Each structure stands twice: as C-alpha cells, then as structure tokens.
C-alpha cells in the first residue's frame, strides 16, 4: 500500500504495528508534520466516525483508533515548527462538561504552545464552575472550549451564560466537530459580553488567537 493509505489504515484498524517507521517516512516526505495529521491520519479518523455511526465499530475499537492518533501526534510533535518568541499570552483550554473527546483540544494546545502561548489545559468534562475558578485564578487572555458532541454545542451556550453571570468577558474561542460558525454567532455569542470566535481547526484557532492580540 502507498504510505498515505498505510497511515490511514493504522487509525482505522487501531493498530500501531509499523506505525512509527511509517511516520518517520512521512516526516521525510511532508514539509509540515501537521499536514500528516490533517491529511492521512484525519482521513482515518473520519472513516472511524463513519464506521462507528454505521455500527460497524464498537466504542472499544474507536478508543484504539484514538490511541493510534494520540501516539502519532506525540511522535510528530517534536518536529513541529516552534516560534522562538516571548510569551504572547495565556490560554485556558477545556473540553466542556459531559464530553471526553480531547484529541482536537490537545492538538490546539500543541499548536498554541509551539507558537508562544502559555496554555493551561484543564482536561475533559470541565464544568463551568471549574472554568470560572480557573479564570479568576489564572486571568487568561483567551478561554478555549472544545466539544465534539451535539450536546456539547448546547453546553457551550450554558458555559458562556455562567461565565457572563460571573462577570467574565475574556474572549472565548470555540471549536469541535458538532459546532458551526452560525451556531457560534447566533446561539453562543449573544449569551456573552466578550467576543466568541469559532475556529474550524487548530491552525485557525491560532490565527484567531493571534488576531485577538492586535
Ligand atoms: Co466519539 N463521537 N463518542 N469517541 N468520536 C464522535 C464525535 C461522533 C461524531 C462519532 C459518530 O457517531 N459518527 C459521535 C458524536 C455524535 C454527535 O453528538 N453528533 C460520537 C459519539 C456518539 C460518542 C459516544 C457518545 C459513544 C458512546 O459511548 N456510545 C461517546 C461519548 C462520550 C462522551 O464524550 N461523554 C464517544 C466516545 C469516544 C471515544 C472515547 C471512544 C473516542 C475519544 C477518545 C479521545 O478523544 N480521547 C471517540 C472518538 C475518537 C470519536 C471520533 C471517531 C474521532 C474524534 C477525533 O478525535 N477526531 C468522532 C468522529 C469524528 O469526529 N469523525 C467521534 C480527530 C480530532 C483531531 O478532530 O476533535 O474534531 P477534532 O478536532 C478538530 C476540529 O474539530 C478542531 O480542530 C481539530 C483539527 O485541527 N477543534 C478545535 C476541536 N476542538 C477545538 C477547539 C478550538 C479550536 C479548534 O479552540 C478552543
């Protein structure tokens, strides 16, 4: 099989046999390691999502695919471009209450911290109270919320409401598969006093965070 198809297959099959040498080969071929993640590995994850939706995979198998994705990101991370710059600001990151999906959020953490941001990653299933406490303690410049479930989009609305009630207006960056710009603008932003920005992927999240500083 060609390299790209092999990489996609590791994710779909949840198998790590031969993964690292193939990632090394991909590093020779691709200029930017992020293109390996966004390309063949994401193609695999999308296929996993489709198969899971069709009841052709069970949760335990999806978890193995997630392990392959995480191992790949960890292997590629040292090769990603790092900007040598002063600290640009502090970002608080969380997957919202009720949601355990964290691969996208952790990718956002890598991209932001490689580009000069101090990132405080609060982890998964983070309730609004915990975010509010962390905002008061850490005084971040941006709060990043991730969520992949349809109900997580709704949870972001509630989180924004709770943060507003706590008198917080720190800019919020939101992202995740179930979310759209339209939902962000029409449903989340009106519940909040500060800006609420939708990022379609981790790089877009970095661009938006950079723009907030200017
Ligand atoms: Co779940 N899962 N899952 N899952 N899972 C989805 C999301 C689903 C679409 C699959 C499907 O049915 N087709 C579906 C959601 C349905 C819905 O609500 N619409 C689903 C479901 C139903 C579930 C469970 C309910 C299954 C069950 O238990 N019956 C359960 C939920 C548990 C819970 O959260 N309470 C569940 C569990 C799991 C696993 C634990 C097995 C595993 C997660 C492991 C982990 O994360 N540690 C898992 C996985 C792996 C997936 C899929 C297959 C892949 C997600 C992923 O990691 N993608 C997913 C299907 C899919 O998305 N195709 C699916 C790769 C990652 C890099 O992309 O996170 O989208 P993503 O991040 C992107 C962008 O979205 C964006 O940037 C990234 C790219 O650069 N982004 C941000 C994300 N967050 C951002 C934040 C930002 C900026 C950009 O700023 C702050």
């Amino acid at each position: 099989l060609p390299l790209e198809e092999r990489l996609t297959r590791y994710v779909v099959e949840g198998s790590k046999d031969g993964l690292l040498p193939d990632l090394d080969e991909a590093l020779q071929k691709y200029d930017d390691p992020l293109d390996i993640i966004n390309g063949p590995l994401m193609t695999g994850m999308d296929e996993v999502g489709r198969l899971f939706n069709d009841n052709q995979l069970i949760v335990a198998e999806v978890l193995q695919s997630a392990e392959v994705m995480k191992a790949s990101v960890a292997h590629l991370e040292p090769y990603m471009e790092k900007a040598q710059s002063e600290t640009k600001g502090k970002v608080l990151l969380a997957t919202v209450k009720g949601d355990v999906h964290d691969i996208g959020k952790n990718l956002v953490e890598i991209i932001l911290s490689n580009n000069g941001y101090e990132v405080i990653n609060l982890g998964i299933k983070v309730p609004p109270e915990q975010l509010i406490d962390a905002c008061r303690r850490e005084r971040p410049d941006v709060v990043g919320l991730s969520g992949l479930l349809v109900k997580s989009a709704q949870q972001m609305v509630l989180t924004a409401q709770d943060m507003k009630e706590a008198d917080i207006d720190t800019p919020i960056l939101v992202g995740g598969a179930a979310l759209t710009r339209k939902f962000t603008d029409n449903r989340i932003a009106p519940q909040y006093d500060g800006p609420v920005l939708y990022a379609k992927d981790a790089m877009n999240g970095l661009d938006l965070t950079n723009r907030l500083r200017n």
Side-chain angles (χ1 to χ4, degrees), residues 71-121:
S72 303
V73 173
H75 190 72
L76 297 173
E77 207 249 13
Y79 301 95
M80 287 186 201
E81 211 176 306
K82 288 185 185 60
Q84 299 293 334
S85 68
E86 83 290 11
T87 305
K88 292 200 227 162
K90 198 191 263 192
V91 181
L92 212 59
L93 264 190
T95 298
V96 295
K97 182 178 172 183
D99 196 325
V100 303
H101 297 89
D102 67 354
I103 297 175
K105 167 183 67 65
N106 293 345
L107 205 52
V108 174
E109 173 180 16
I110 291 172
I111 304 283
L112 288 176
S113 49
N114 280 352
N115 286 280
Y117 290 92
E118 180 191 348
V119 178
I120 298 168
N121 191 338

Side-chain angles (χ1 to χ4, degrees), residues 97-160:
K97 182 178 172 183
D99 196 325
V100 303
H101 297 89
D102 67 354
I103 297 175
K105 167 183 67 65
N106 293 345
L107 205 52
V108 174
E109 173 180 16
I110 291 172
I111 304 283
L112 288 176
S113 49
N114 280 352
N115 286 280
Y117 290 92
E118 180 191 348
V119 178
I120 298 168
N121 191 338
L122 297 177
I124 58 172
K125 296 201 275 185
V126 177
E129 312 84 79
Q130 194 188 335
L131 265 173
I132 291 166
D133 282 351
C135 277
R136 291 189 172 135
R137 194 174 59 239
E138 304 288 351
R139 306 241 152 246
D141 300 289
V142 177
V143 174
L145 301 178
S146 179
L148 265 67
L149 302 170
V150 167
K151 70 172 188 189
S152 300
Q154 194 53 42
Q155 183 57 49
M156 288 183 190
V157 175
L158 301 175
T159 302

Side-chain angles (χ1 to χ4, degrees), residues 37-38 42 45-50 52-53 59-60 62-63 65-66 69-70 93-94 98-105 107-108 125 143-151 173-178 199-203 205:
I37 297 172
N38 288 332
M42 270 307 251
M45 261 315 191
D46 288 341
E47 177 68 1
V48 169
R50 199 186 61 72
F52 181 53
N53 216 13
V59 172
V62 179
L63 210 46
S65 299
M69 192 72 171
K70 287 191 171 195
L93 264 190
D99 196 325
V100 303
H101 297 89
D102 67 354
I103 297 175
K105 167 183 67 65
L107 205 52
V108 174
K125 296 201 275 185
V143 174
L145 301 178
S146 179
L148 265 67
L149 302 170
V150 167
K151 70 172 188 189
L173 182 72
V174 295
K200 70 173 188 338
D201 58 30
M203 278 315 275

